[in-house]
Amino acid sequence: EARLDASLRRIDADLKSLAREVPVAALSPQAVSRYAQELDARLDSRLFNFREIAGYRVTDVKGDTL
């Protein structure tokens, strides 16, 4: 229970941080190719020493993976 709580708190902190860091323009489907490498690196860096998470994905309003 404590480990799950710690994992969820870390995920929550990561998502809040990412929400502040990711430029709004990067969330446009037309901008994916421009921002993909940078965002992939940011998302991957969040996984260091965090084996409970396989990866983060960015989706648009429609639920399509960007």
Side-chain angles (χ1 to χ4, degrees):
E1 183 179 322
R3 185 174 177 168
L4 176 61
D5 184 61
S7 294
L8 292 174
R9 286 179 187 276
R10 181 170 173 186
I11 293 167
D12 185 55
D14 281 352
L15 293 175
K16 287 177 181 176
S17 179
L18 286 165
R20 289 188 300 269
E21 293 174 10
V22 174
V24 174
L27 301 178
S28 164
Q30 295 78 20
V32 169
S33 62
R34 181 175 169 209
Y35 290 95
Q37 187 174 4
E38 175 190 348
L39 292 179
D40 284 346
R42 283 186 189 201
L43 294 172
D44 287 346
S45 73
R46 302 277 178 180
L47 302 177
F48 185 70
N49 289 331
F50 197 15
R51 66 176 191 245
E52 291 85 359
I53 298 297
Y56 287 112
R57 301 291 177 255
V58 179
T59 59
D60 65 12
V61 172
K62 298 176 189 173
D64 297 325
T65 301
L66 300 177

